[in-house]
């Protein structure tokens, strides 16, 4: 029984204080700085990956087949396959040994992976380099656990609203330098001449990303404080109840210990946010994988024919606008229409976003060039992408507040990240392969992938209606 005789079971959300508390910006700023290494390490390859795949010769010179291979690299399919196999273990380990050691391992894994990617000259070594990062990296789930440790229900939404903005900063900077620094021997031959740069034309942007992750590991070592309650000795004032009463295999579980995984997986209030998060990730990563492929595909097959520098600039503009909107408006919108209301509206924006792909394809094919109409549609697509990204701050709140206690945050976030890792592993490869298949065989006019994404969006919209209504006073 909880304080005051309240009944607590494994379906009880995090017990919460009622007084308004400020975000602990000192430690939270360190978390955000370290978190930025994740989007930087994942998105800097977007502008040049299709060109890289073509140069490896694995497509036999057929540009329409690049999508089969680009999906494995561009949107981190390989990374997420490897991550799905280990992230639950890393996150649950953080519930026992602490958050900081697990974060350190993840940052070192990212650094090694990025340097190895730049030194890879075959498709096989590219695969290995991406898998290194996935196996050693459970940082996003652990970072969300840290935020859950240092916030409560009165400031959690405000804190999580900043997380997508940090990802936007990373996805702004990374594609910009990824496109600009690719093949430096062609742009600055007086500085990057010689056999090394001819043999490793993409090593420079990989070095920047690897150094970023390494710098974050130093910051983490020096400035980040351990936040796991059992390590700090600080307990949430309403989490001092000794046991959890329930009706399954977790009878008499101590409320100051992580709850068993099988208990969480049997709990409806835990699994609904996870199902929403996983489906959101599946649709969103499919769209993100499609963007650079669609932008770089030749006009004659319905793409826009952009070079890496233009793709990088577009993604950078999106990241800058997105980050500003997320940081300034998400928390305010949640206060106006509620977390569930914002999530439902945000995920519905997938419909027009997806529809714009075949529309642009038809326009560019008819005009045989990228004209003012295409640029107008690209701006409209960017607006819908910004609206969709508002859903992430909200779903982070839902998954965190669904944890039965703060000692289970690592496990809870591990389950959610494992689900999204599986979705993100499947999504890019399937999406880009279906895009290539549709174009190669002209299936439904090359639009099969867009129909499938629309169906998945419908599933997500239906799942979003099952989320609970969150109130600050509950």
């Amino acid at each position: 029984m909880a304080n005051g005789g309240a009944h607590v079971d494994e379906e009880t959300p995090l017990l919460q204080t009622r007084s308004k508390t400020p975000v602990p910006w000192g430690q939270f700023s360190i978390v955000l700085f370290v978190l930025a290494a994740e989007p930087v390490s994942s998105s800097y390859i977007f502008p040049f990956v299709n060109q890289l795949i073509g140069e490896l010769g694995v497509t036999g010179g057929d540009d329409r087949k690049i999508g089969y291979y680009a999906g494995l690299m561009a949107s981190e399919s390989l990374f997420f396959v490897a991550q799905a196999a280990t992230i639950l273990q890393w996150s649950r380990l953080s519930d026992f040994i602490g958050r900081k050691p697990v974060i350190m391992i993840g940052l070192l894994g990212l650094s090694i992976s990025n340097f190895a990617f730049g030194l890879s000259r075959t498709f096989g070594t590219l695969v290995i380099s991406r898998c290194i990062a996935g196996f050693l990296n459970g940082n996003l789930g652990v970072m969300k656990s840290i935020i859950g440790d240092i916030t409560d229900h009165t400031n959690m939404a405000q804190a999580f609203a900043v997380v997508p903005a940090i990802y936007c900063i990373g996805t702004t900077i990374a594609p910009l330098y990824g496109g600009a620094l690719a093949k430096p021997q062609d742009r600055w031959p007086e500085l990057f001449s010689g056999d090394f740069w001819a043999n490793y034309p993409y090593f420079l942007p990989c070095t920047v990303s690897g150094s970023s992750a390494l710098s974050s590991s130093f910051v983490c070592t020096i400035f980040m404080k351990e936040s796991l309650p059992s390590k700090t000795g600080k307990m949430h004032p309403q989490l001092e109840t000794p046991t959890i009463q329930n009706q399954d295999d977790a009878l008499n579980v101590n409320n100051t210990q992580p709850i068993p995984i099988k208990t969480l997986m049997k709990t409806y209030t835990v699994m609904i946010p996870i199902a929403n998060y996983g489906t959101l990730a599946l649709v969103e990563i499919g769209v993100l994988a499609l963007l650079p492929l669609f932008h770089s595909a030749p006009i004659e097959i319905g793409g826009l024919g952009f070079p890496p520098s233009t793709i990088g600039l577009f993604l950078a503009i999106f990241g800058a606008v997105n980050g500003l909107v997320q940081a300034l408006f998400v928390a305010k919108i949640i206060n106006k229409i509620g977390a569930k209301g914002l999530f439902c509206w945000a995920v519905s924006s997938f419909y027009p976003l997806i529809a714009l792909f075949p529309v642009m394809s038809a326009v560019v094919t008819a005009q045989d060039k990228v004209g003012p109409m295409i640029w107008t549609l690209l701006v409209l697509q960017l607006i819908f992408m910004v609206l969709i990204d508002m859903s992430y701050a909200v779903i982070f709140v839902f998954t965190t507040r669904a944890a039965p206690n703060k000692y289970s945050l690592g496990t809870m976030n591990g389950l959610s990240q494992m689900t999204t890792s599986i979705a993100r592993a499947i999504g890019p490869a399937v999406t880009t392969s279906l895009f290539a298949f549709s174009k190669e065989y002209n299936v439904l006019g090359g639009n099969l992938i867009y129909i499938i994404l629309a169906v998945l969006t419908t599933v997500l919209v239906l799942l979003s209606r099952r989320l609970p209504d969150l109130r600050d006073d509950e």
Side-chain angles (χ1 to χ4, degrees), residues 261-316:
I261 295 174
K262 63 181 180 180
T263 301
L264 293 176
M265 295 182 69
K266 294 177 181 177
T267 307
Y268 179 83
T269 54
V270 166
M271 296 310 297
I272 281 295
I274 290 177
N276 274 272
Y277 190 13
T279 310
L280 169 63
L282 179 62
V283 181
E284 190 245 8
I285 201 68
V287 170
L288 287 182
L290 214 53
L291 277 172
L293 184 58
F294 179 79
H295 289 169
S296 65
I299 290 177
E300 54 266 25
I301 66 171
L304 302 183
F306 288 157
S309 57
T310 302
I311 298 172
L313 180 62
F314 177 82
L315 294 176

Side-chain angles (χ1 to χ4, degrees), residues 49 51-59 73 120-124 126:
V49 67
Q51 188 174 358
L52 170 61
I53 295 297
E55 292 171 359
L56 290 176
V58 295
T59 65
M73 299 294 171
S120 299
R121 298 183 64 181
T122 66
F123 188 75
L126 291 178

